[in-house]
Amino acid sequence: QVQLVESGGGSVQPGGSLRLSCAASGDIFAIYIMAWYCQTPGKQRELVAVITPGGNANYADSVKDRFTISRDNAKNTVYLQMNSLKPEDTANYYCYTNIQIDSTNSVTTFWGQGTQVTVSS
């Protein structure tokens, strides 16, 4: 079974930086879109950034010019570089991707376990 493992979360002061990683493992035929979502308690998950297999990226307005999403297709890994962090960035961040397990199955959605980011002074 495919598994997404996230890392890189933590607690930082405003203005600090973090780099989140999400590595996919298992029997993977192809990985398509990869993205990062955030969620706070009692709230719906919101899209933060998304990246295509070719490296084309889009961002939520609230993180544009501060966050950078990237991917390493050889390592089946997506990253989120988070700079100039603000208290309102505090949330649990989830990796998301669409993966084709084999050539006969349709594409399936997978979620990471979440990693907590806390920004406070």
Side-chain angles (χ1 to χ4, degrees), residues 15-61:
S17 298
L18 288 172
R19 188 180 188 233
L20 308 184
S21 299
C22 176
S25 62
D27 189 12
I28 299 172
F29 180 80
I31 299 179
Y32 299 100
I33 205 79
M34 302 185 84
W36 289 95
Y37 286 74
C38 67
Q39 185 175 27
T40 56
K43 307 290 180 58
Q44 295 183 352
R45 290 186 186 182
E46 299 180 348
L47 180 65
V48 176
V50 60
I51 187 169
T52 69
N56 187 29
N58 289 100
Y59 302 88
D61 288 340

Side-chain angles (χ1 to χ4, degrees), residues 47-95:
L47 180 65
V48 176
V50 60
I51 187 169
T52 69
N56 187 29
N58 289 100
Y59 302 88
D61 288 340
S62 61
V63 306
K64 193 170 297 182
D65 301 324
R66 297 189 299 118
F67 293 5
T68 301
I69 188 172
S70 61
R71 62 191 288 168
D72 186 334
N73 292 329
K75 297 180 179 179
N76 292 332
T77 300
V78 62
Y79 306 93
L80 186 67
Q81 179 65 47
M82 311 167 73
N83 297 328
S84 301
L85 282 162
K86 304 175 181 179
E88 51 263 43
D89 296 321
T90 297
N92 198 257
Y93 285 76
Y94 294 88
C95 175

